[in-house]
Amino acid sequence: MADERYGRAFGQDLAGQLARLGLSRGDTVLVHARLSGTGLDAEPLRDALLTALGADGTLVVPAFTPENSDTSHAYLRRVDGMTPTQAAAFRATMPAFDPATTSCAGIGRLAECVRTTEGAVRSAHPQTSFAALGRRAAELLAEHPLESHLGEDSPLGALYRAGARVLMINVGFGVCTAFHLAEYRTGAPLRKYRCVVRGADGPEWTEYKDVELDDSDFDAVGNTFRWDPGQKGQLGGTTARLFAIRDAVDHAVEWMTEKRRCLTER
């Protein structure tokens, strides 16, 4: 009983801290979180976020799965050092993406917690899906075409149009997914992608073209991004930032247009 009271009090305190950061009832928020070393657990944090957002709010997390692609850095790291025969055998056993069951644990404990919560919605992209809880979850995640990882037609584009906010907990701008939308808006080059998906007769590989996603300069983009200083503060045992997704994307468009070599050298 004492543990339950402590858990409720801790959750209420977290919800209060989120409110002091500026998170409001009815908000839609995209959350990036690294919980290691923070003293935060995924379930209490999820519950505190939902409490702060209220019945009309929506909690969204990235639920990315690069492991099911043989054109991803995750795959290349996994097969590094394997013989061609070993790599081919490994590739043949890679499971197809299933939005209902494929784990996104590599993105973090909060993302996997949200994905597996009863009532959660997940978008259909086999590599860059999102998961969400709340009033607008189904609406925002309804469309996610294969050729738009993080573009205008993806949930990220929908979040921009919805005036969503971004909450970053114990992470830097290097993982700020919102900046990827700027790559589409600045005409970043295209590349081929391949991943394994569910087909009518079992797993099958599909290939498509989309923007070449590159987060290597996102820390530099973030270092020049100005947000309301009142929206940075303590959350549990770590720091968190809250800002408008539109401000972040618009800033990234300006920065990339001026400083990305692939754009300035055209």
Side-chain angles (χ1 to χ4, degrees):
M1 193 69 173
D3 288 343
E4 289 181 11
R5 287 197 298 269
Y6 173 78
R8 285 196 298 271
F10 181 68
Q12 290 167 356
D13 186 48
L14 279 180
Q17 290 176 36
L18 289 163
R20 287 190 288 277
L21 276 169
L23 196 64
S24 301
R25 298 180 72 81
D27 277 351
T28 295
V29 63
L30 173 63
V31 182
H32 298 277
R34 183 176 65 237
L35 302 187
S36 178
T38 66
L40 297 170
D41 290 326
E43 289 190 10
L45 178 57
R46 174 204 60 193
D47 294 346
L49 285 161
L50 293 173
T51 297
L53 293 169
D56 290 331
T58 306
L59 168 61
V60 185
V61 293
F64 302 164
T65 50
E67 299 85 0
N68 77 325
S69 167
D70 67 354
T71 54
S72 70
H73 294 302
Y75 171 83
L76 296 176
R77 287 193 298 269
R78 182 66 178 82
V79 300
D80 184 39
M82 290 186 182
T83 66
T85 300
Q86 290 171 328
F90 174 76
R91 184 180 184 276
T93 62
M94 289 169 60
F97 174 77
D98 182 343
T101 61
T102 300
S103 171
C104 66
I107 300 298
R109 285 181 283 150
L110 178 65
E112 181 67 359
C113 177
V114 171
R115 181 193 74 81
T116 56
T117 298
E118 184 176 358
V121 177
R122 190 181 196 180
S123 66
H125 201 285
Q127 291 190 259
T128 53
S129 66
F130 290 79
L133 292 163
R135 186 175 69 85
R136 302 188 68 181
E139 168 199 348
L140 294 168
L141 273 56
E143 302 295 330
H144 204 164
L146 192 63
E147 298 82 5
S148 185
H149 278 119
L150 298 165
E152 303 293 349
D153 298 329
S154 75
L156 189 59
L159 288 167
Y160 182 95
R161 292 187 292 275
R165 308 172 87 181
V166 179
L167 177 64
M168 300 177 62
I169 304 170
N170 196 40
V171 294
F173 283 103
V175 300
C176 183
T177 298
F179 290 162
H180 283 298
L181 184 56
E183 296 183 294
Y184 289 77
R185 296 187 173 186
T186 53
L190 301 179
R191 57 161 284 193
K192 288 183 179 179
Y193 292 89
R194 271 189 313 274
C195 59
V196 59
V197 298
R198 291 185 303 165
D201 300 315
E204 63 181 34
W205 286 85
T206 185
E207 183 174 286
Y208 57 98
K209 282 187 176 181
D210 194 16
V211 161
E212 183 173 7
L213 301 173
D214 178 12
D215 60 10
S216 62
D217 55 10
F218 280 13
D219 280 323
V221 177
N223 286 340
T224 57
F225 174 49
R226 295 181 180 180
W227 66 91
D228 183 344
Q231 295 183 319
K232 179 180 179 181
Q234 286 296 121
L235 184 65
T238 189
T239 57
R241 296 183 175 102
L242 181 70
F243 50 87
I245 194 170
R246 289 177 180 170
D247 291 346
V249 174
D250 294 350
H251 166 73
V253 167
E254 292 182 6
W255 192 97
M256 292 177 187
T257 300
E258 294 178 1
K259 298 187 179 180
R260 271 205 171 179
R261 182 171 296 177
C262 64
L263 302 178
T264 59
E265 293 184 352
R266 285 177 179 171

